Amino acid sequence: MNRRTIYIWGLSLVLCALLPLQVSAKTPFTDVNDRYWAKDAIQWASEIGLTSGYPDGTFKPEQSITEAQLVTMLVRFDLNSPHSFLSKKGEHKAMGNYRYLAKYYLPLRGLNSGSARNMALQRSFAAKIFAAYRGKDLYAQEAIYYLYTHNLANGVTGKNDYQDFAPKRNLTRAEAVHIMYQMFLNQGRYIHGLSSPATGRDNAQYAKPPLFIEEDELEFERPVPPPLPGVNPGKPFERVDVDVDIEKPTLTANGKDETFITFTFKDCNGKLIPYEQEMEFEVTSREGAAIEVDTPIPQPDKPLIPPTPKPEPVPEPEPKPTPVDSQKSDEDPDREFPENENAVKSAAVVAAATPWYRHAISDGPEVTVKVTAPRTTTETVDVITLTPITKIGSCPHPTATATITYVPRAEIQLDIYDGKYNDLGRTFITATLARPGGAQITNFNGYLKIDSLYHLPFESSFVKFSHGQATTSFITPTTLMKNEIIVTAIANTSVTDSAVQSILEKKFSAPVSYAPPLSADKTCTNQKPEIGFLIDSSGSMKRNDPQRLRVTKTEEFIDTLQADVNIATHFTTSGMFLEKGTPNPVIKSLEKVKESGGTNIATGLKVAFDKFTTVQPKTLILLTDGKSAKAPILKEVEYAKNHGIKIYTIGLGQNVDTDLLKQIALDTGGKYFSIKENIELPLVYQSILQEINCGIPIESCSLSASIFESPSVKLEHNDIRMNTELLTACGPISKVIVRFSSQDGNLDYELTHRRQGIYMLNKKLYEIQDFLLNPNATFIAYDSAGKEIGQQIVQIEQ
């Protein structure tokens, strides 16, 4: 080899060494092609072992990432740590990794909340975690600005302000590895972490530029719940026996704001307590918050016996009140609560029904309570305490606590009056101006501007305030809808009251949802069966069905079907019979369905089956949100098969035994339905009604338009934005298009499936300008066979 050849080869090696790191041209994943925007990051993540994808060879880039999945990737990303840390017996598989990251005070909700570990992670909260990983203690807005300024992420359109980051959208798997890839290229693969719990102390280092956040966006940071008793986040901790899941850890101190707390207990071996068993707890609030605790449901084998009242002590004479000089009183005339809140604080528990009953009953391992914030003008931290009264076996259960913060804020309170299908067919809204602490402001001269996210037909969009209140109404929707009402107070004169000044021009909102009414085809003459209803009354329904739609919609089902023989039953740890007969008495009996106690599906099935005759066709509808022992259930299912009882099963929420409910339906000739939220129940009931009433097999929801949740087409500057969320209670959906029509024909755009059930697409306005003569657009959904399964027309927003 001559000198020239040696020189060329040597130069080539030097140049190669100086080139930046490049990844392979192709990824090992079948669903990531060479033109996918995050292909390089996904390939890099695979090569260094951050992820190996799924067993079927896919990466699922658009699927939402859970906090536990991100935690596992972050541990693998850190070169100072091993590939992962083992969890202990009975723990979540990521708890070892959580323990490692806890030493660095990363703001991880899954440290204290079992449900948070497997929930999709919002992009705003993910930004805080990534910033803390790099040693910056920032709130969400500052964390997003940090990602922008360090070239770790970009906004959706490149505008790179707060909303452009899509902070409330879930982080996808592709987005997570892309940010980590940028961290690697810019900063290396080492964790810095924080030196103490996150409080936003580095916010000043990343002061946001003007217009980064719209002035009318009110955002309050929700602090990460403090560690559970006995847990020190600064060092590895032992397995705990209680998980605490708080829906909202920060409440407005107005006497109205509410949150659910679920405590989940384990036995001495770290396993969940069986759902067929119950435990009893005393629930108290250190700051005197109202706590809703449902009385146990009376059962034949477990009657409720009130305690024997103690003799009342003879009251001491009350001291005479000291005269008050009315001329010297500085009391605010609008205040409706004592000035000294400490005088009224006490450890308290409020029973929703029987006043003498002061305890909560668990749904197996879970205790769910509803807490309503007190009225106070000072920010207060409350501790909700669960003290065990009974236990299961010889294993003692610890006292459990949850921390809630009550923050006084001036606000517009929205009261939305029951949007049922009443004679007027209207829903009424009352907006009340309130001071910090909840006292009403009565002397405001101005009006209320009211709007909604998706076109509610308000009687008036501008309503004058009278004594601090403004009321309007709208026609109650008769299709499935999840919406948001948005209001703003506008003054007619100058304002000097500081509380009112803090409200003006700010947007306040409240969510609303509507379940469609049920209907029956009057032309059908199919024989109506003897029909039974088995409803879950366990304590978890307090949180999964707070509006009690499983009761009101079952009442509506019975009234719509008008079967001759109806059977109403429900269950907790025992099955309970309510009524059998014609519709009216059975409908009235459903008022006794409550939310308290455990889940034993088998006992409910047995009670329901015992009430069937052997003459007519027989159908049972089972609705549950929980799990239960499989063997005794399958024994009852065998009985149903032998006696010709068809069972429709409905699983509500995330904690159901899907495989078991599917098997129950399959073995008895019924059908299984899975719904995420109680608002979807009418879709299922309508489909079952259609099959029972007309004998038509269920292919899709008969209310096909209702599979679209909040569809919208908006014109914003030079863009047109299309999006919708689809409900899957009616079966899988393969494709969604938006159709624009004009005299010259139709223009169809296929939407992109961004994440679970959400379809979106943005286009430039000039591409569609000629088709905007028609003020409406049509959403159309198709199944995998190309069959249209849903259509909904919406007005184009400008």
Side-chain angles (χ1 to χ4, degrees), residues 648-671:
Y648 293 96
T649 56
I650 305 171
L652 167 62
Q654 306 293 328
N655 195 35
V656 297
D657 191 336
T658 299
D659 292 339
L660 178 57
L661 293 180
K662 283 182 178 178
Q663 184 176 351
I664 295 171
L666 180 64
D667 288 354
T668 60
K671 186 176 178 64

Side-chain angles (χ1 to χ4, degrees), residues 407-616:
V407 179
R409 300 167 182 148
E411 61 178 343
I412 302 177
Q413 298 174 353
L414 291 175
D415 293 311
I416 302 168
Y417 299 99
D418 210 346
K420 287 183 178 179
Y421 312 102
N422 49 34
D423 294 338
L424 296 176
R426 305 192 72 84
T427 298
F428 293 88
I429 306 164
T430 296
T432 304
L433 298 176
R435 300 185 183 281
Q440 185 173 328
I441 298 170
T442 59
N443 57 352
F444 175 67
N445 181 11
Y447 62 93
L448 179 80
K449 179 184 177 183
I450 186 166
D451 199 358
S452 65
L453 205 56
Y454 304 107
H455 299 298
L456 288 173
F458 294 106
E459 182 181 23
S460 174
S461 297
F462 297 92
V463 188
K464 182 176 176 59
F465 276 99
S466 176
H467 301 291
Q469 289 189 326
T471 299
T472 187
S473 66
F474 57 89
I475 298 173
T476 302
T478 56
T479 59
L480 181 71
M481 179 185 293
K482 292 180 65 178
N483 211 325
E484 187 174 358
I485 294 175
I486 305 164
V487 298
T488 307
I490 300 175
N492 289 329
T493 58
S494 60
V495 174
T496 58
D497 189 320
S498 60
V500 177
Q501 287 177 338
S502 67
I503 295 173
L504 290 179
E505 308 297 332
K506 303 296 183 183
K507 292 182 179 179
F508 296 83
S509 63
V512 290
S513 58
Y514 301 95
L518 303 179
S519 62
D521 189 339
K522 302 296 184 181
T523 65
C524 293
T525 58
N526 205 45
Q527 181 185 4
K528 294 178 176 63
E530 183 177 10
I531 185 164
F533 300 87
L534 179 57
I535 301 176
D536 193 334
S537 285
S538 62
S540 55
M541 282 294 184
K542 188 194 305 290
R543 186 166 181 174
N544 287 331
D545 184 30
Q547 299 88 8
R548 288 172 54 81
L549 289 183
R550 72 194 195 284
V551 175
T552 58
K553 285 300 173 183
T554 301
E555 292 171 346
E556 189 179 348
F557 187 111
I558 295 171
D559 186 56
T560 304
L561 182 62
Q562 286 293 310
D564 294 331
V565 181
N566 304 268
I567 301 167
T569 58
H570 65 137
F571 65 92
T572 56
T573 53
S574 300
M576 290 161 280
F577 170 66
L578 292 172
E579 189 65 66
K580 178 179 179 179
T582 54
N584 284 343
V586 177
I587 288 173
K588 292 179 181 178
S589 74
L590 290 172
E591 295 177 357
K592 298 178 183 178
V593 173
K594 302 297 182 183
E595 300 83 29
S596 179
T599 304
N600 192 330
I601 297 174
T603 61
L605 290 171
K606 181 174 177 57
V607 168
F609 294 161
D610 286 346
K611 300 301 177 181
F612 279 100
T613 66
T614 58
V615 180
Q616 296 174 260

Side-chain angles (χ1 to χ4, degrees), residues 104 139 277 322 516 729 772:
Y104 296 96
Y139 282 165
Q277 300 190 34
T322 303
L772 294 180

Side-chain angles (χ1 to χ4, degrees), residues 74-361:
L74 289 174
V75 170
R76 294 172 180 173
F77 182 73
D78 179 28
L79 291 178
N80 285 329
S81 70
H83 191 68
S84 65
F85 294 86
L86 295 177
S87 61
K88 298 180 180 180
K89 183 178 179 181
E91 289 183 332
H92 188 282
K93 62 183 178 181
M95 280 311 298
N97 295 329
Y98 270 99
R99 271 191 284 272
Y100 174 74
L101 296 180
K103 297 190 297 183
Y104 296 96
Y105 294 100
L106 265 61
L108 302 170
R109 296 187 185 276
L111 280 170
N112 300 321
S113 170
S115 62
R117 297 168 200 149
N118 295 323
M119 287 178 63
L121 190 63
Q122 278 194 351
R123 285 168 58 87
S124 59
F125 199 79
K128 295 171 60 176
I129 295 173
F130 285 123
Y133 197 89
R134 286 304 181 195
K136 298 298 180 183
D137 180 8
L138 303 172
Y139 282 165
Q141 297 163 6
E142 288 76 9
I144 290 168
Y145 185 58
Y146 170 86
L147 296 185
Y148 286 157
T149 56
H150 286 75
N151 298 318
L152 302 181
N154 286 306
V156 176
T157 68
K159 186 179 179 182
N160 284 6
D161 61 9
Y162 178 67
Q163 285 301 332
D164 198 37
F165 190 74
K168 295 183 179 180
R169 182 166 64 79
N170 291 343
L171 187 74
T172 67
R173 289 169 52 80
E175 290 166 345
V177 298
H178 177 73
I179 292 175
M180 296 171 74
Y181 182 50
Q182 296 302 314
M183 290 169 65
F184 162 66
L185 294 178
N186 290 279
Q187 301 166 324
R189 287 180 57 189
Y190 295 96
I191 186 172
H192 295 280
L194 307 179
S195 58
S196 60
T199 59
R201 57 185 171 275
D202 294 330
N203 286 341
Q205 299 178 23
Y206 295 91
K208 303 178 292 294
L211 302 181
F212 185 78
I213 300 175
E214 296 293 336
E215 291 183 359
D216 59 357
E217 289 178 340
L218 285 180
E219 295 230 355
F220 298 92
E221 280 289 325
R222 292 181 178 181
V224 175
L228 296 174
V231 176
N232 179 5
K235 63 180 182 179
F237 51 89
E238 298 299 321
R239 175 183 63 78
V240 296
D241 293 319
V242 187
D243 284 337
V244 182
D245 181 17
I246 307 176
E247 183 184 48
K248 295 190 298 182
T250 302
L251 299 179
T252 301
N254 57 10
K256 294 185 175 183
D257 202 5
E258 301 171 339
T259 187
F260 287 101
I261 308 176
T262 299
F263 301 83
T264 304
F265 290 82
K266 301 175 184 176
D267 63 20
C268 292
N269 297 317
K271 296 182 179 179
L272 292 177
I273 292 164
Y275 284 89
E276 293 83 2
Q277 300 190 34
E278 295 176 347
M279 295 181 294
E280 192 172 349
F281 295 84
E282 182 181 16
V283 192
T284 60
S285 161
R286 187 179 68 187
E287 302 298 326
I291 302 176
E292 181 178 308
V293 179
D294 283 310
T295 305
I297 299 170
Q299 301 174 22
D301 57 337
K302 293 188 295 185
L304 293 181
I305 302 175
T308 303
K310 295 180 180 180
E312 294 186 4
V314 179
E316 297 181 2
E318 295 185 2
K320 295 182 179 181
T322 303
V324 177
D325 185 353
S326 60
Q327 300 299 319
K328 295 182 180 180
S329 175
D330 295 325
E331 180 71 18
D332 182 346
D334 288 333
R335 286 181 65 85
E336 299 176 0
F337 52 94
E339 184 65 35
N340 182 9
E341 273 80 17
N342 291 327
V344 297
K345 290 177 181 177
S346 63
V349 60
V350 179
T354 309
W356 53 265
Y357 201 88
R358 304 293 189 186
H359 299 158
I361 304 298

Side-chain angles (χ1 to χ4, degrees), residues 673-674 683 687 699-704 707 727-732 789:
F673 296 88
S674 174
L683 302 183
S687 293
E699 296 181 359
S700 63
C701 280
S702 53
L703 295 180
S704 59
I707 67 175
L727 304 176
T728 57
C730 307
I789 58 174

